[in-house]
Amino acid sequence: MTADLRRVGAGDGDADGDGDDRPAPAPPSPPAERAQRPRRSRLRRWLRRTALGCAVALVVVTAASFVYNAVTAGRPAPPRGLRYVQAADIRTRYQTWGTAGPPVVLVHGAFESVDTWSRLAPLLARDHRVYALDLTGDGYSERHGPYTVDHFTRQLLGFLNAMRLGGPGERPLLVGHSSGAAVVTETALRAPGRLGGVMLLDGDALDTGAGPPPAFKHVLIDPYRTSVSDQLSEPMRTVGLGAGSAHLGGEA
C-alpha cells in the first residue's frame, strides 16, 4: 500500500517522487547570454527612436513645404512679355517660332521649360511652325497639381485645342524630351487621330502605372515638387533666363 502511494505521488513534474509537482527551476543563463540582453534592448530602443524621429522629420518637412508653397504662391512676378493661354484647367505659358510649314509641338522634361528649346526651335522654324509650352509645375505656367502624366496629358491636349491643332492638315508632330516622352506617348494613345507623329528624345519615363500610390503622390510628391520648382525658377526669374541659357540643339 505504501509503495502504491509513492507511485501516485510521483506524477508528472515530480522528478524526486516527494509529492511536490512544482516544475523544476530553469538552469541559469550563461553569462554571455545575460550580457547580450541589455544590448538587444538598447538596439530596439534606438531603432524605435530613430523611426519616430524620421516620421516626425517627414511630417515637419512636408508641413513646411505646404506652408512655403502657400506663402510664395504668386510670387515673384514673371518677366514681362511672356505669352499665356488657357490649356484645360491650367494657365499655360507658351512660345511659338515660324509662320509656315507643318506644326511641331515641343514638350520638355522634368524641371525644364520652354527655354530648353531656345536653340533648337529657331532651327526647326525654318520650315515648320514650332510650339512649346511649360508643363504645370515647371517654368512660368500656373502651379496646379497633381503632377502626374494624366494631368500633363490633359494640359497638352488642352494646349492643342487652344492652338487649333489636331484637325485635317493641322496634325502636329509631338516631340517629348526625357519625362516629356511619357506625356507625348500618353497623348498619342488618347488621341491618335489628332497627331501627325511622335518623336521621343532620350525618353525614359513612359507611364507604366508603377510608382507610389495616389495618396502618397498628393501628400508628399506634389508639395515637394512645387517647392523645388519655385526654387529652380527663382534664379531664372532673377537673371532673365532666355535664349542661350538652357537649350537643346544648336551650338553652345
Side-chain angles (χ1 to χ4, degrees):
M1 182 66 176
T2 304
D4 293 340
L5 290 175
R6 283 200 299 269
R7 285 195 296 271
V8 172
D12 294 341
D14 186 11
D16 53 6
D18 59 1
D20 186 358
D21 58 356
R22 290 176 297 176
S29 301
E33 183 178 343
R34 289 197 299 270
Q36 288 178 356
R37 288 175 182 173
R39 295 177 186 173
R40 289 196 293 266
S41 179
R42 286 195 298 269
L43 178 61
R44 284 193 294 268
R45 287 198 300 270
W46 182 85
L47 290 175
R48 284 197 297 267
R49 292 172 181 172
T50 300
L52 179 61
C54 291
V56 170
L58 184 61
V59 171
V60 170
V61 172
T62 302
S65 181
F66 275 111
V67 172
Y68 173 83
N69 295 340
V71 171
T72 59
R75 296 187 306 120
R80 295 180 179 179
L82 299 183
R83 301 170 67 184
Y84 288 88
V85 69
Q86 191 69 22
D89 58 344
I90 300 166
R91 186 170 182 264
T92 300
R93 180 250 182 139
Y94 76 101
Q95 189 170 346
T96 62
W97 299 261
T99 58
V104 176
V105 177
L106 307 175
V107 181
H108 63 76
F111 306 118
E112 297 176 349
S113 70
V114 164
D115 301 296
T116 299
W117 310 100
S118 60
R119 295 291 183 87
L120 176 61
L123 300 178
L124 296 175
R126 295 172 182 174
D127 49 13
H128 293 81
R129 287 174 291 135
V130 183
Y131 303 78
L133 73 157
D134 285 343
L135 294 177
T136 180
D138 293 315
Y140 295 103
S141 286
E142 176 187 5
R143 305 282 196 269
H144 192 329
Y147 302 109
T148 62
V149 171
D150 173 70
H151 200 197
F152 296 147
T153 300
R154 286 189 278 120
Q155 181 187 7
L156 179 54
L157 287 171
F159 180 74
L160 297 182
N161 291 337
M163 296 293 104
R164 302 182 183 278
L165 298 175
E170 293 293 323
R171 294 187 176 90
L173 169 67
L174 296 188
V175 180
H177 173 240
S178 189
S179 61
V183 182
V184 166
T185 302
E186 183 65 21
T187 302
L189 292 174
R190 294 189 187 185
R194 299 185 59 185
L195 307 181
V198 168
M199 178 179 292
L200 309 181
L201 303 179
D202 194 22
D204 57 359
L206 299 183
D207 187 29
T208 61
F216 184 84
K217 292 181 180 179
H218 289 296
V219 174
L220 297 181
I221 296 180
D222 288 354
Y224 290 155
R225 181 181 179 112
T226 301
S227 299
V228 171
S229 296
D230 284 343
Q231 290 296 319
L232 290 178
S233 61
E234 177 66 23
M236 290 192 283
R237 291 169 178 149
T238 301
V239 303
L241 178 63
S245 297
H247 60 273
L248 284 176
E251 304 216 358

